[in-house]
């Protein structure tokens, strides 16, 4: 009987963790902080307007979905560029940026100011709405 309760408890905890992770997927964090110490591989990707820098890893399945969403959005919106950086072999870049999971998308202005960050696959409409004030 104790084993059944332990199993039920483990399933409940796993379910709660799954729900929490799902709720955080694609959540946008608004920031307005200049990145004076932006790593060179990221700084090299910046373009005029706003650049969506997608930090990915080699075997990340959600990264492929994020790439489709971000590339499509950048193709449709003037002043928006998408760039992908594989941080599989660049853990120091991910660490300096405070990235704990992939995909993570940073919206950076041409001067390197991070205006927002998205963990997971972004939701197209929410991301566009959050970016509107930063697009000209």
């Amino acid at each position: 009987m104790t084993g059944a309760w332990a199993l039920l408890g483990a399933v409940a905890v796993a379910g709660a963790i799954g729900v929490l992770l799902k709720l955080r997927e694609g959540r946008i964090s608004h920031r307005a902080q200049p990145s004076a110490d932006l790593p060179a591989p990221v700084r090299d990707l910046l373009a005029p307007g706003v650049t969506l820098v997608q930090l990915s890893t080699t075997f990340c399945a959600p990264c492929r979905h994020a790439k489709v969403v971000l590339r499509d959005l950048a193709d449709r919106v003037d002043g928006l560029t998408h760039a992908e950086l594989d941080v599989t072999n660049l853990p120091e870049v991910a660490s300096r940026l405070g990235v704990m999971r992939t995909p993570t998308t940073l919206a950076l202005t041409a001067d390197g100011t991070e205006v927002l960050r998205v963990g997971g696959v972004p939701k197209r409409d929410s991301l566009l709405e959050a970016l509107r004030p930063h697009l000209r």
Side-chain angles (χ1 to χ4, degrees):
M1 185 70 167
T2 303
W5 284 110
L7 179 61
L8 184 61
V11 168
V13 168
I17 290 171
V19 167
L20 288 174
L21 289 175
K22 188 68 175 167
L23 289 174
R24 293 189 61 167
E25 181 72 20
R27 193 174 86 195
I28 298 172
S29 302
H30 294 275
R31 300 169 183 242
Q33 49 185 285
S35 298
D37 62 341
L38 201 60
V42 176
R43 186 167 295 283
D44 293 345
L45 298 173
L46 298 181
V50 175
T51 304
L52 298 173
V53 178
Q54 177 187 340
L55 302 169
S56 303
T57 51
T58 304
F59 299 106
C60 169
C63 294
R64 290 187 282 277
H65 298 291
K67 183 180 195 175
V68 170
V69 170
L70 296 172
R71 186 171 286 161
D72 179 61
L73 191 60
D75 287 346
R76 294 174 185 236
V77 177
D78 289 334
L80 193 60
T81 306
H82 170 253
E84 185 176 12
L85 181 63
D86 187 335
V87 294
T88 302
N89 297 317
L90 301 170
E92 68 282 354
V93 171
S95 177
R96 281 181 58 191
L97 294 171
V99 172
M100 303 300 285
R101 65 183 280 197
T102 57
T104 293
T105 304
L106 308 176
L108 302 166
T109 60
D111 67 355
T113 300
E114 183 180 331
V115 294
L116 61 88
R117 177 180 292 224
V118 182
V121 178
K123 295 172 181 71
R124 183 186 329 260
D125 294 337
S126 300
L127 180 57
L128 183 57
E129 188 62 34
L131 286 170
R132 274 199 207 286
H134 306 286
L135 298 170
R136 295 186 175 132

